[in-house]
PDB file of all heavy atoms in Angstrom:
ATOM      1  N   TYR A1391     -67.015 -21.947 -95.646  1.00  0.00           N
ATOM      2  CA  TYR A1391     -68.095 -21.838 -96.631  1.00  0.00           C
ATOM      3  C   TYR A1391     -67.440 -21.966 -98.004  1.00  0.00           C
ATOM      4  O   TYR A1391     -66.517 -21.225 -98.328  1.00  0.00           O
ATOM      5  CB  TYR A1391     -68.803 -20.489 -96.485  1.00  0.00           C
ATOM      6  CG  TYR A1391     -69.902 -20.238 -97.496  1.00  0.00           C
ATOM      7  CD1 TYR A1391     -71.244 -20.372 -97.150  1.00  0.00           C
ATOM      8  CD2 TYR A1391     -69.597 -19.856 -98.804  1.00  0.00           C
ATOM      9  CE1 TYR A1391     -72.251 -20.150 -98.067  1.00  0.00           C
ATOM     10  CE2 TYR A1391     -70.599 -19.619 -99.725  1.00  0.00           C
ATOM     11  CZ  TYR A1391     -71.930 -19.768 -99.356  1.00  0.00           C
ATOM     12  OH  TYR A1391     -72.925 -19.531-100.259  1.00  0.00           O
ATOM     13  N   VAL A1392     -67.906 -22.914 -98.840  1.00  0.00           N
ATOM     14  CA  VAL A1392     -67.292 -23.176-100.137  1.00  0.00           C
ATOM     15  C   VAL A1392     -68.185 -22.604-101.238  1.00  0.00           C
ATOM     16  O   VAL A1392     -69.354 -22.954-101.354  1.00  0.00           O
ATOM     17  CB  VAL A1392     -67.064 -24.686-100.368  1.00  0.00           C
ATOM     18  CG1 VAL A1392     -66.407 -24.915-101.722  1.00  0.00           C
ATOM     19  CG2 VAL A1392     -66.198 -25.256 -99.253  1.00  0.00           C
ATOM     20  N   SER A1393     -67.604 -21.698-102.043  1.00  0.00           N
ATOM     21  CA  SER A1393     -68.314 -21.094-103.173  1.00  0.00           C
ATOM     22  C   SER A1393     -67.736 -21.658-104.464  1.00  0.00           C
ATOM     23  O   SER A1393     -66.509 -21.669-104.649  1.00  0.00           O
ATOM     24  CB  SER A1393     -68.156 -19.569-103.137  1.00  0.00           C
ATOM     25  OG  SER A1393     -68.700 -18.991-104.296  1.00  0.00           O
ATOM     26  N   TYR A1394     -68.594 -22.105-105.366  1.00  0.00           N
ATOM     27  CA  TYR A1394     -68.123 -22.781-106.577  1.00  0.00           C
ATOM     28  C   TYR A1394     -69.190 -22.662-107.662  1.00  0.00           C
ATOM     29  O   TYR A1394     -70.322 -22.270-107.433  1.00  0.00           O
ATOM     30  CB  TYR A1394     -67.856 -24.263-106.269  1.00  0.00           C
ATOM     31  CG  TYR A1394     -69.061 -24.972-105.660  1.00  0.00           C
ATOM     32  CD1 TYR A1394     -69.996 -25.639-106.459  1.00  0.00           C
ATOM     33  CD2 TYR A1394     -69.279 -24.945-104.284  1.00  0.00           C
ATOM     34  CE1 TYR A1394     -71.101 -26.270-105.905  1.00  0.00           C
ATOM     35  CE2 TYR A1394     -70.378 -25.570-103.710  1.00  0.00           C
ATOM     36  CZ  TYR A1394     -71.286 -26.233-104.526  1.00  0.00           C
ATOM     37  OH  TYR A1394     -72.380 -26.848-103.992  1.00  0.00           O
ATOM     38  N   GLU A1395     -68.764 -23.031-108.893  1.00  0.00           N
ATOM     39  CA  GLU A1395     -69.728 -23.125-109.994  1.00  0.00           C
ATOM     40  C   GLU A1395     -69.892 -24.606-110.376  1.00  0.00           C
ATOM     41  O   GLU A1395     -69.158 -25.473-109.905  1.00  0.00           O
ATOM     42  CB  GLU A1395     -69.275 -22.260-111.172  1.00  0.00           C
ATOM     43  CG  GLU A1395     -67.863 -22.504-111.671  1.00  0.00           C
ATOM     44  CD  GLU A1395     -67.854 -23.377-112.907  1.00  0.00           C
ATOM     45  OE1 GLU A1395     -68.952 -23.693-113.417  1.00  0.00           O
ATOM     46  OE2 GLU A1395     -66.772 -23.777-113.343  1.00  0.00           O
ATOM     47  N   ASP A1396     -70.875 -24.880-111.196  1.00  0.00           N
ATOM     48  CA  ASP A1396     -71.321 -26.262-111.421  1.00  0.00           C
ATOM     49  C   ASP A1396     -70.214 -27.193-111.911  1.00  0.00           C
ATOM     50  O   ASP A1396     -70.214 -28.401-111.594  1.00  0.00           O
ATOM     51  CB  ASP A1396     -72.477 -26.262-112.420  1.00  0.00           C
ATOM     52  CG  ASP A1396     -73.709 -25.592-111.841  1.00  0.00           C
ATOM     53  OD1 ASP A1396     -73.808 -25.501-110.588  1.00  0.00           O
ATOM     54  OD2 ASP A1396     -74.574 -25.137-112.619  1.00  0.00           O
ATOM     55  N   ARG A1397     -69.253 -26.699-112.688  1.00  0.00           N
ATOM     56  CA  ARG A1397     -68.211 -27.568-113.247  1.00  0.00           C
ATOM     57  C   ARG A1397     -67.254 -28.081-112.173  1.00  0.00           C
ATOM     58  O   ARG A1397     -66.457 -28.989-112.425  1.00  0.00           O
ATOM     59  CB  ARG A1397     -67.433 -26.821-114.337  1.00  0.00           C
ATOM     60  CG  ARG A1397     -68.281 -26.503-115.564  1.00  0.00           C
ATOM     61  CD  ARG A1397     -67.491 -25.635-116.553  1.00  0.00           C
ATOM     62  NE  ARG A1397     -68.266 -25.310-117.732  1.00  0.00           N
ATOM     63  CZ  ARG A1397     -69.170 -24.354-117.795  1.00  0.00           C
ATOM     64  NH1 ARG A1397     -69.418 -23.645-116.711  1.00  0.00           N
ATOM     65  NH2 ARG A1397     -69.846 -24.108-118.904  1.00  0.00           N
ATOM     66  N   SER A1398     -67.291 -27.493-110.991  1.00  0.00           N
ATOM     67  CA  SER A1398     -66.389 -27.921-109.911  1.00  0.00           C
ATOM     68  C   SER A1398     -67.004 -28.958-108.994  1.00  0.00           C
ATOM     69  O   SER A1398     -66.345 -29.446-108.074  1.00  0.00           O
ATOM     70  CB  SER A1398     -65.971 -26.695-109.078  1.00  0.00           C
ATOM     71  OG  SER A1398     -65.315 -25.735-109.866  1.00  0.00           O
ATOM     72  N   VAL A1399     -68.270 -29.312-109.207  1.00  0.00           N
ATOM     73  CA  VAL A1399     -68.979 -30.211-108.290  1.00  0.00           C
ATOM     74  C   VAL A1399     -68.284 -31.570-108.208  1.00  0.00           C
ATOM     75  O   VAL A1399     -68.078 -32.130-107.119  1.00  0.00           O
ATOM     76  CB  VAL A1399     -70.447 -30.369-108.714  1.00  0.00           C
ATOM     77  CG1 VAL A1399     -71.131 -31.464-107.889  1.00  0.00           C
ATOM     78  CG2 VAL A1399     -71.179 -29.049-108.557  1.00  0.00           C
ATOM     79  N   ALA A1400     -67.903 -32.136-109.377  1.00  0.00           N
ATOM     80  CA  ALA A1400     -67.283 -33.462-109.383  1.00  0.00           C
ATOM     81  C   ALA A1400     -65.960 -33.453-108.619  1.00  0.00           C
ATOM     82  O   ALA A1400     -65.655 -34.372-107.840  1.00  0.00           O
ATOM     83  CB  ALA A1400     -67.074 -33.935-110.820  1.00  0.00           C
ATOM     84  N   TRP A1401     -65.160 -32.412-108.823  1.00  0.00           N
ATOM     85  CA  TRP A1401     -63.872 -32.318-108.125  1.00  0.00           C
ATOM     86  C   TRP A1401     -64.069 -32.198-106.622  1.00  0.00           C
ATOM     87  O   TRP A1401     -63.334 -32.773-105.837  1.00  0.00           O
ATOM     88  CB  TRP A1401     -63.109 -31.104-108.671  1.00  0.00           C
ATOM     89  CG  TRP A1401     -61.741 -30.945-108.070  1.00  0.00           C
ATOM     90  CD1 TRP A1401     -60.590 -31.555-108.446  1.00  0.00           C
ATOM     91  CD2 TRP A1401     -61.413 -30.113-106.945  1.00  0.00           C
ATOM     92  NE1 TRP A1401     -59.547 -31.168-107.645  1.00  0.00           N
ATOM     93  CE2 TRP A1401     -60.018 -30.281-106.714  1.00  0.00           C
ATOM     94  CE3 TRP A1401     -62.147 -29.276-106.130  1.00  0.00           C
ATOM     95  CZ2 TRP A1401     -59.373 -29.607-105.695  1.00  0.00           C
ATOM     96  CZ3 TRP A1401     -61.506 -28.596-105.121  1.00  0.00           C
ATOM     97  CH2 TRP A1401     -60.123 -28.774-104.901  1.00  0.00           C
ATOM     98  N   ILE A1402     -65.081 -31.430-106.228  1.00  0.00           N
ATOM     99  CA  ILE A1402     -65.363 -31.252-104.792  1.00  0.00           C
ATOM    100  C   ILE A1402     -65.735 -32.591-104.159  1.00  0.00           C
ATOM    101  O   ILE A1402     -65.240 -32.958-103.080  1.00  0.00           O
ATOM    102  CB  ILE A1402     -66.485 -30.221-104.597  1.00  0.00           C
ATOM    103  CG1 ILE A1402     -65.991 -28.823-104.974  1.00  0.00           C
ATOM    104  CG2 ILE A1402     -66.996 -30.220-103.163  1.00  0.00           C
ATOM    105  CD1 ILE A1402     -67.084 -27.771-105.002  1.00  0.00           C
ATOM    106  N   GLN A1403     -66.625 -33.332-104.823  1.00  0.00           N
ATOM    107  CA  GLN A1403     -67.083 -34.608-104.255  1.00  0.00           C
ATOM    108  C   GLN A1403     -65.964 -35.649-104.202  1.00  0.00           C
ATOM    109  O   GLN A1403     -65.867 -36.440-103.258  1.00  0.00           O
ATOM    110  CB  GLN A1403     -68.257 -35.138-105.078  1.00  0.00           C
ATOM    111  CG  GLN A1403     -69.514 -34.289-104.942  1.00  0.00           C
ATOM    112  CD  GLN A1403     -70.637 -34.776-105.825  1.00  0.00           C
ATOM    113  OE1 GLN A1403     -70.404 -35.555-106.766  1.00  0.00           O
ATOM    114  NE2 GLN A1403     -71.852 -34.327-105.542  1.00  0.00           N
ATOM    115  N   LYS A1404     -65.085 -35.629-105.216  1.00  0.00           N
ATOM    116  CA  LYS A1404     -64.062 -36.663-105.302  1.00  0.00           C
ATOM    117  C   LYS A1404     -62.829 -36.354-104.461  1.00  0.00           C
ATOM    118  O   LYS A1404     -62.224 -37.253-103.866  1.00  0.00           O
ATOM    119  CB  LYS A1404     -63.660 -36.867-106.769  1.00  0.00           C
ATOM    120  CG  LYS A1404     -62.664 -38.008-106.971  1.00  0.00           C
ATOM    121  CD  LYS A1404     -62.409 -38.238-108.455  1.00  0.00           C
ATOM    122  CE  LYS A1404     -61.402 -39.394-108.653  1.00  0.00           C
ATOM    123  NZ  LYS A1404     -61.134 -39.629-110.085  1.00  0.00           N
ATOM    124  N   PHE A1405     -62.463 -35.064-104.372  1.00  0.00           N
ATOM    125  CA  PHE A1405     -61.202 -34.727-103.724  1.00  0.00           C
ATOM    126  C   PHE A1405     -61.366 -33.849-102.485  1.00  0.00           C
ATOM    127  O   PHE A1405     -60.769 -34.116-101.431  1.00  0.00           O
ATOM    128  CB  PHE A1405     -60.271 -34.009-104.726  1.00  0.00           C
ATOM    129  CG  PHE A1405     -59.887 -34.852-105.895  1.00  0.00           C
ATOM    130  CD1 PHE A1405     -60.510 -34.688-107.112  1.00  0.00           C
ATOM    131  CD2 PHE A1405     -58.892 -35.823-105.778  1.00  0.00           C
ATOM    132  CE1 PHE A1405     -60.148 -35.465-108.198  1.00  0.00           C
ATOM    133  CE2 PHE A1405     -58.533 -36.599-106.852  1.00  0.00           C
ATOM    134  CZ  PHE A1405     -59.173 -36.436-108.081  1.00  0.00           C
ATOM    135  N   LEU A1406     -62.155 -32.753-102.622  1.00  0.00           N
ATOM    136  CA  LEU A1406     -62.189 -31.760-101.545  1.00  0.00           C
ATOM    137  C   LEU A1406     -62.885 -32.286-100.295  1.00  0.00           C
ATOM    138  O   LEU A1406     -62.352 -32.190 -99.180  1.00  0.00           O
ATOM    139  CB  LEU A1406     -62.875 -30.474-102.027  1.00  0.00           C
ATOM    140  CG  LEU A1406     -62.827 -29.309-101.034  1.00  0.00           C
ATOM    141  CD1 LEU A1406     -61.391 -28.851-100.819  1.00  0.00           C
ATOM    142  CD2 LEU A1406     -63.676 -28.135-101.523  1.00  0.00           C
ATOM    143  N   LEU A1407     -64.095 -32.839-100.440  1.00  0.00           N
ATOM    144  CA  LEU A1407     -64.837 -33.303 -99.266  1.00  0.00           C
ATOM    145  C   LEU A1407     -64.140 -34.424 -98.522  1.00  0.00           C
ATOM    146  O   LEU A1407     -64.096 -34.416 -97.282  1.00  0.00           O
ATOM    147  CB  LEU A1407     -66.262 -33.713 -99.669  1.00  0.00           C
ATOM    148  CG  LEU A1407     -67.198 -32.566-100.067  1.00  0.00           C
ATOM    149  CD1 LEU A1407     -68.576 -33.093-100.393  1.00  0.00           C
ATOM    150  CD2 LEU A1407     -67.284 -31.534 -98.950  1.00  0.00           C
ATOM    151  N   PRO A1408     -63.599 -35.443 -99.228  1.00  0.00           N
ATOM    152  CA  PRO A1408     -62.875 -36.490 -98.480  1.00  0.00           C
ATOM    153  C   PRO A1408     -61.725 -35.937 -97.646  1.00  0.00           C
ATOM    154  O   PRO A1408     -61.468 -36.422 -96.545  1.00  0.00           O
ATOM    155  CB  PRO A1408     -62.372 -37.427 -99.585  1.00  0.00           C
ATOM    156  CG  PRO A1408     -63.345 -37.243-100.700  1.00  0.00           C
ATOM    157  CD  PRO A1408     -63.715 -35.801-100.668  1.00  0.00           C
ATOM    158  N   LYS A1409     -61.024 -34.947 -98.188  1.00  0.00           N
ATOM    159  CA  LYS A1409     -59.903 -34.376 -97.453  1.00  0.00           C
ATOM    160  C   LYS A1409     -60.394 -33.591 -96.231  1.00  0.00           C
ATOM    161  O   LYS A1409     -59.952 -33.807 -95.103  1.00  0.00           O
ATOM    162  CB  LYS A1409     -59.094 -33.438 -98.366  1.00  0.00           C
ATOM    163  CG  LYS A1409     -58.131 -34.141 -99.291  1.00  0.00           C
ATOM    164  CD  LYS A1409     -56.902 -34.635 -98.520  1.00  0.00           C
ATOM    165  CE  LYS A1409     -55.857 -35.196 -99.483  1.00  0.00           C
ATOM    166  NZ  LYS A1409     -54.698 -35.749 -98.741  1.00  0.00           N
ATOM    167  N   ILE A1410     -61.297 -32.636 -96.476  1.00  0.00           N
ATOM    168  CA  ILE A1410     -61.668 -31.681 -95.428  1.00  0.00           C
ATOM    169  C   ILE A1410     -62.533 -32.344 -94.362  1.00  0.00           C
ATOM    170  O   ILE A1410     -62.283 -32.181 -93.154  1.00  0.00           O
ATOM    171  CB  ILE A1410     -62.391 -30.468 -96.035  1.00  0.00           C
ATOM    172  CG1 ILE A1410     -61.431 -29.665 -96.919  1.00  0.00           C
ATOM    173  CG2 ILE A1410     -62.941 -29.551 -94.948  1.00  0.00           C
ATOM    174  CD1 ILE A1410     -62.043 -28.437 -97.554  1.00  0.00           C
ATOM    175  N   GLU A1411     -63.578 -33.074 -94.777  1.00  0.00           N
ATOM    176  CA  GLU A1411     -64.545 -33.562 -93.799  1.00  0.00           C
ATOM    177  C   GLU A1411     -64.171 -34.934 -93.221  1.00  0.00           C
ATOM    178  O   GLU A1411     -64.378 -35.175 -92.031  1.00  0.00           O
ATOM    179  CB  GLU A1411     -65.934 -33.613 -94.435  1.00  0.00           C
ATOM    180  CG  GLU A1411     -66.497 -32.230 -94.741  1.00  0.00           C
ATOM    181  CD  GLU A1411     -67.968 -32.264 -95.101  1.00  0.00           C
ATOM    182  OE1 GLU A1411     -68.443 -33.334 -95.541  1.00  0.00           O
ATOM    183  OE2 GLU A1411     -68.637 -31.237 -94.939  1.00  0.00           O
ATOM    184  N   GLU A1412     -63.626 -35.817 -94.046  1.00  0.00           N
ATOM    185  CA  GLU A1412     -63.328 -37.164 -93.553  1.00  0.00           C
ATOM    186  C   GLU A1412     -61.937 -37.246 -92.911  1.00  0.00           C
ATOM    187  O   GLU A1412     -61.785 -37.801 -91.820  1.00  0.00           O
ATOM    188  CB  GLU A1412     -63.435 -38.171 -94.695  1.00  0.00           C
ATOM    189  CG  GLU A1412     -64.852 -38.268 -95.269  1.00  0.00           C
ATOM    190  CD  GLU A1412     -64.936 -39.202 -96.468  1.00  0.00           C
ATOM    191  OE1 GLU A1412     -63.964 -39.949 -96.701  1.00  0.00           O
ATOM    192  OE2 GLU A1412     -65.947 -39.168 -97.158  1.00  0.00           O
ATOM    193  N   GLU A1413     -60.957 -36.655 -93.590  1.00  0.00           N
ATOM    194  CA  GLU A1413     -59.593 -36.767 -93.080  1.00  0.00           C
ATOM    195  C   GLU A1413     -59.274 -35.693 -92.038  1.00  0.00           C
ATOM    196  O   GLU A1413     -58.669 -35.978 -91.013  1.00  0.00           O
ATOM    197  CB  GLU A1413     -58.608 -36.671 -94.256  1.00  0.00           C
ATOM    198  CG  GLU A1413     -57.155 -36.874 -93.839  1.00  0.00           C
ATOM    199  CD  GLU A1413     -56.209 -36.852 -95.036  1.00  0.00           C
ATOM    200  OE1 GLU A1413     -56.687 -37.117 -96.168  1.00  0.00           O
ATOM    201  OE2 GLU A1413     -55.016 -36.554 -94.850  1.00  0.00           O
ATOM    202  N   TRP A1414     -59.698 -34.449 -92.305  1.00  0.00           N
ATOM    203  CA  TRP A1414     -59.336 -33.359 -91.409  1.00  0.00           C
ATOM    204  C   TRP A1414     -60.408 -33.089 -90.350  1.00  0.00           C
ATOM    205  O   TRP A1414     -60.212 -32.268 -89.454  1.00  0.00           O
ATOM    206  CB  TRP A1414     -59.086 -32.085 -92.209  1.00  0.00           C
ATOM    207  CG  TRP A1414     -57.957 -32.221 -93.190  1.00  0.00           C
ATOM    208  CD1 TRP A1414     -56.988 -33.179 -93.215  1.00  0.00           C
ATOM    209  CD2 TRP A1414     -57.722 -31.367 -94.307  1.00  0.00           C
ATOM    210  NE1 TRP A1414     -56.141 -32.991 -94.272  1.00  0.00           N
ATOM    211  CE2 TRP A1414     -56.560 -31.859 -94.973  1.00  0.00           C
ATOM    212  CE3 TRP A1414     -58.343 -30.240 -94.834  1.00  0.00           C
ATOM    213  CZ2 TRP A1414     -56.046 -31.260 -96.104  1.00  0.00           C
ATOM    214  CZ3 TRP A1414     -57.825 -29.623 -95.965  1.00  0.00           C
ATOM    215  CH2 TRP A1414     -56.686 -30.142 -96.595  1.00  0.00           C
ATOM    216  N   ARG A1415     -61.568 -33.717 -90.484  1.00  0.00           N
ATOM    217  CA  ARG A1415     -62.659 -33.575 -89.514  1.00  0.00           C
ATOM    218  C   ARG A1415     -63.149 -32.127 -89.378  1.00  0.00           C
ATOM    219  O   ARG A1415     -63.499 -31.674 -88.303  1.00  0.00           O
ATOM    220  CB  ARG A1415     -62.217 -34.091 -88.134  1.00  0.00           C
ATOM    221  CG  ARG A1415     -61.765 -35.532 -88.112  1.00  0.00           C
ATOM    222  CD  ARG A1415     -62.912 -36.459 -88.467  1.00  0.00           C
ATOM    223  NE  ARG A1415     -62.509 -37.865 -88.417  1.00  0.00           N
ATOM    224  CZ  ARG A1415     -63.317 -38.877 -88.730  1.00  0.00           C
ATOM    225  NH1 ARG A1415     -64.566 -38.624 -89.107  1.00  0.00           N
ATOM    226  NH2 ARG A1415     -62.892 -40.121 -88.674  1.00  0.00           N
ATOM    227  N   LEU A1416     -63.185 -31.406 -90.485  1.00  0.00           N
ATOM    228  CA  LEU A1416     -63.725 -30.044 -90.503  1.00  0.00           C
ATOM    229  C   LEU A1416     -65.114 -30.057 -91.133  1.00  0.00           C
ATOM    230  O   LEU A1416     -65.456 -30.964 -91.890  1.00  0.00           O
ATOM    231  CB  LEU A1416     -62.811 -29.093 -91.287  1.00  0.00           C
ATOM    232  CG  LEU A1416     -61.394 -28.921 -90.737  1.00  0.00           C
ATOM    233  CD1 LEU A1416     -60.580 -28.004 -91.646  1.00  0.00           C
ATOM    234  CD2 LEU A1416     -61.424 -28.376 -89.322  1.00  0.00           C
TER     235      LEU A1416
END
Side-chain angles (χ1 to χ4, degrees):
Y1391 177 102
V1392 181
S1393 173
Y1394 55 92
E1395 53 100 6
D1396 293 339
R1397 294 174 180 80
S1398 301
V1399 171
W1401 183 84
I1402 291 172
Q1403 292 176 344
K1404 184 175 180 180
F1405 297 101
L1406 187 65
L1407 290 182
K1409 280 285 187 183
I1410 294 181
E1411 292 192 337
E1412 297 176 13
E1413 184 177 337
W1414 299 343
R1415 302 296 182 182
L1416 299 177

